[in-house]
Amino acid sequence: MNICVIGTGYVGLVTGVSLVNFGHKVICVGRDEDKIERINRCEPPFYEPGLDHLLTKSITRKQFFATSNLRESIKQSDITIIAVGTPTIKGEIDLIPIKEMSQQVGQALRGHKQYHIVVVKSTVLPKTTENVVKPIIEEYSGGKAGIQFGICMNPEFLREGNALEDALHPDRIVIGQYDIKSGKTYAKLYKDLGCPILFTGLSTAEMIKYSANAFFATLISYSNEIARLCEEIDGIDIVNVWKGLHLDARLTPTINGRRIIPGFINYLFSGCGYGGSCFPKDTKALVAYSQKLGYEPLLIKSVIKINKKQPLLMVLHLKRRIRVLKNKNITVLGLAFKPETDDTRESPAFPIIRVLLKEGANVKVCDPRVKNLNEKSINSNTIKFAKNIEDALSGAQAVLVVTAWDEFKKLTPKIFKKYMNNPIVVDGRRIYNKESMEQEGIQYEGIGVR
Ligand code: NAD
């Protein structure tokens, strides 16, 4: 089939090249000409493992290109997938990009003879597809949903850092359908994948995505709440608490003599908080939406509150070792909100850096993939970027590990001692063994241990 994907971000581009891999022809629509040119030169505008390879393959086989011409792209397609950003502004979802796109899609469909399917892939709150997207497209196209065009809501579950694997081998496809014809036609895209396809109403599909993100965010904040409790008690290390919990056969059953470690176990682990482009904004949007409906979402509100404080615990740990941070050289290891991505949106590194700067510390940062500070709240001239790991550690009085990159996991006590004088390590991801660190004379602090 011929597909038009609107949005050249993490979801748009990854969806585009995966659909090519499933045998379809894709046009990806963006609005930034520089970015479009880069994509057409086979250069992904962000880091995602394997994306450069699949993008190059898709373009050289002439199955994929990027453009800013939405009207023409829709004209040449059977299906249009909307994958633009849905940020939150003052805690509420900002639907401007979705509304603008619905209007432009509607205009492009005016006078279009063929039946066309419009699919919302962006994360939107329940009723958005039905009450916002559909009426706008109807108004601007002059057509009727279910007759001239079909409409679906297809939430995306890919995880940055693993996005291609997730998109190429999805665990399920959820298709919220306006009517059976829309759902059936859209499902043809995924017919050979062999994974379950769940057909629902539009709003149910929208809610499934929010419930998934709120669920994983809840597991993280639950893990962090228990970690904070452990920090109040002498002799308990959260790492050992999780070992004990994870062995529960209800969580990790043994099948045919092999213990199964389900994916959600990764979220039952403590650290300096979740970040990224989804959990923070989607939990906030869900709270605001719920409150508008008159329901106070107590649990999700607590999840957000716990997460907001979590990065600052890193500075509290640091201050157990260095009481006054003024003029101290502190290195933050990691800016990306998680490993294998260069996405720094809502990264826990930022609140940590803000406090360090406020207290007068000299801050150096090091990240294998992030080379610019993409954060308005911090003046990039106030921090230094390390050239490499040696530079990051040299002369630092303390390091704070924010992102569990493999490059940081490999650092041994000997390496810390080689470059730092009397090293202090604050482990925000619990990637080092506390005992081995201490045996080698490192002053070790970790989330979830006193
Ligand atoms: P992104 O910020 O990386 O990309 C958004 C894209 O939308 C950009 O290419 C931007 O140029 C484009 N865009 C925004 N407004 C536009 C407009 N008015 N006209 C044309 N293009 C416009 O965002 P993303 O991470 O790809 O997320 C997209 C959607 O998918 C969001 O709703 C997000 O919540 C959801 N989602 C994201 C992930 C993820 O891991 N990133 C996973 C699942 C779902």
Side-chain angles (χ1 to χ4, degrees):
M1 284 173 124
N2 294 319
I3 321 291
C4 163
V5 178
I6 307 175
T8 51
Y10 290 85
V11 170
L13 204 49
V14 169
T15 300
V17 295
S18 338
L19 287 172
V20 170
N21 211 60
F22 300 154
H24 308 290
K25 226 172 159 173
V26 175
I27 306 174
C28 222
V29 180
R31 52 180 179 172
D32 175 341
E33 294 292 348
D34 282 348
K35 204 167 152 187
I36 290 168
E37 266 180 42
R38 274 185 71 182
I39 294 170
N40 287 330
R41 286 200 307 266
C42 307
E43 292 170 21
F46 51 84
Y47 173 66
E48 184 60 48
L51 182 58
D52 47 355
H53 171 72
L54 210 54
L55 182 64
T56 307
K57 197 171 126 189
S58 307
I59 290 177
T60 47
R61 290 187 181 171
K62 299 202 183 322
Q63 299 299 305
F64 179 98
F65 69 91
T67 174
S68 57
N69 191 335
L70 178 70
R71 184 179 282 273
E72 197 49 40
S73 309
I74 290 183
K75 225 166 127 185
Q76 293 176 23
S77 308
D78 311 298
I79 296 178
T80 294
I81 299 177
I82 301 177
V84 296
T86 47
T88 46
I89 292 189
K90 291 189 185 142
E92 287 193 33
I93 189 166
D94 173 19
L95 283 181
I96 289 176
I98 287 285
K99 286 180 179 168
E100 277 180 11
M101 277 311 112
S102 306
Q103 181 179 332
Q104 290 182 34
V105 170
Q107 284 163 341
L109 286 179
R110 186 170 275 277
H112 198 74
K113 297 277 180 298
Q114 274 165 282
Y115 176 77
H116 194 91
I117 306 270
V118 182
V119 181
V120 177
K121 200 177 243 312
S122 302
T123 302
V124 291
L125 288 160
K127 298 288 173 200
T128 307
T129 307
E130 180 144 18
N131 295 345
V132 178
V133 177
K134 180 178 89 71
I136 296 178
I137 297 177
E138 285 183 331
E139 181 188 340
Y140 285 89
S141 68
K144 211 90 204 85
I147 300 170
Q148 278 83 9
F149 68 93
I151 191 154
C152 291
M153 199 284 145
N154 169 227
E156 178 53 59
F157 300 104
L158 63 77
R159 296 160 296 169
E160 282 175 28
N162 207 54
L164 278 173
E165 186 60 24
D166 289 343
L168 293 173
H169 308 284
D171 41 16
R172 81 290 210 192
I173 304 286
V174 173
I175 300 180
Q177 53 188 14
Y178 175 71
D179 58 358
I180 290 174
K181 186 178 175 193
S182 306
K184 241 184 172 173
T185 315
Y186 183 55
K188 284 185 193 155
L189 277 195
Y190 300 104
K191 69 177 171 34
D192 298 328
L193 291 192
C195 71
I197 298 184
L198 178 69
F199 293 94
T200 69
L202 296 171
S203 304
T204 303
E206 289 162 333
M207 195 62 187
I208 287 171
K209 177 63 191 167
Y210 279 92
S211 72
N213 280 357
F215 172 67
F216 291 113
T218 301
L219 290 185
I220 295 172
S221 280
Y222 160 74
S223 307
N224 288 338
E225 178 152 79
I226 300 290
R228 268 148 86 171
L229 186 55
C230 289
E231 291 189 10
E232 298 300 321
I233 311 163
D234 213 16
I236 303 182
D237 185 338
I238 191 68
V239 169
N240 296 324
V241 173
W242 294 137
K243 271 186 198 153
L245 184 88
H246 293 172
L247 284 170
D248 188 320
R250 289 167 295 183
L251 302 179
T252 57
T254 301
I255 298 174
N256 295 335
R258 256 190 70 219
R259 190 168 279 276
I260 307 297
I261 315 287
F264 73 86
I265 290 292
N266 293 330
Y267 299 81
L268 271 174
F269 202 77
S270 311
C272 56
Y274 61 77
S277 68
C278 293
F279 292 0
K281 82 170 172 66
D282 293 342
T283 46
K284 283 182 208 152
L286 195 57
V287 166
Y289 177 68
S290 176
Q291 286 171 332
K292 272 198 175 158
L293 294 174
Y295 175 71
E296 201 57 33
L298 299 175
L299 178 61
I300 305 170
K301 273 170 72 182
S302 302
V303 166
I304 296 169
K305 216 167 168 182
I306 291 168
N307 194 60
K308 194 166 177 208
K309 285 200 181 147
Q310 203 62 17
L312 304 177
L313 273 192
M314 296 286 284
V315 183
L316 292 183
H317 274 281
L318 173 64
K319 285 181 136 189
R320 288 181 190 164
R321 306 286 175 158
I322 308 179
R323 281 186 47 210
V324 181
L325 297 178
K326 195 166 169 50
N327 297 328
K328 299 292 188 310
N329 299 330
I330 313 292
T331 289
V332 174
L333 292 182
L335 283 175
F337 82 95
K338 68 171 181 179
E340 295 305 324
T341 182
D342 57 2
D343 196 344
T344 58
R345 288 178 278 187
E346 307 246 12
S347 169
F350 296 137
I352 294 170
I353 293 171
R354 281 196 294 270
V355 178
L356 294 174
L357 290 173
K358 201 167 157 212
E359 302 234 353
N362 306 318
V363 179
K364 206 181 242 189
V365 297
C366 177
D367 189 288
R369 288 283 166 187
V370 184
K371 300 300 170 203
N372 301 300
L373 198 70
N374 242 333
E375 171 63 22
K376 287 190 200 108
S377 69
I378 301 169
N379 176 352
S380 54
N381 296 326
T382 55
I383 61 162
K384 281 199 182 122
F385 269 82
K387 293 184 206 79
N388 48 39
I389 200 78
E390 290 79 12
D391 183 31
L393 303 185
S394 297
Q397 270 127 335
V399 301
L400 275 58
V401 181
V402 172
T403 317
W405 282 102
D406 277 345
E407 285 86 340
F408 303 153
K409 284 184 185 168
K410 284 182 197 148
L411 296 174
T412 59
K414 282 196 174 58
I415 298 176
F416 283 117
K417 281 172 76 179
K418 182 173 172 194
Y419 295 103
M420 295 167 72
N421 197 4
N422 196 14
I424 299 170
V425 174
V426 183
D427 187 351
R429 297 296 176 191
R430 301 308 307 271
I431 58 175
Y432 306 121
N433 182 285
K434 180 178 185 293
E435 282 71 36
S436 343
M437 282 277 175
E438 285 175 343
Q439 272 162 19
E440 298 277 346
I442 309 280
Q443 299 188 61
Y444 179 89
E445 291 281 333
I447 292 285
V449 64
R450 203 170 202 179

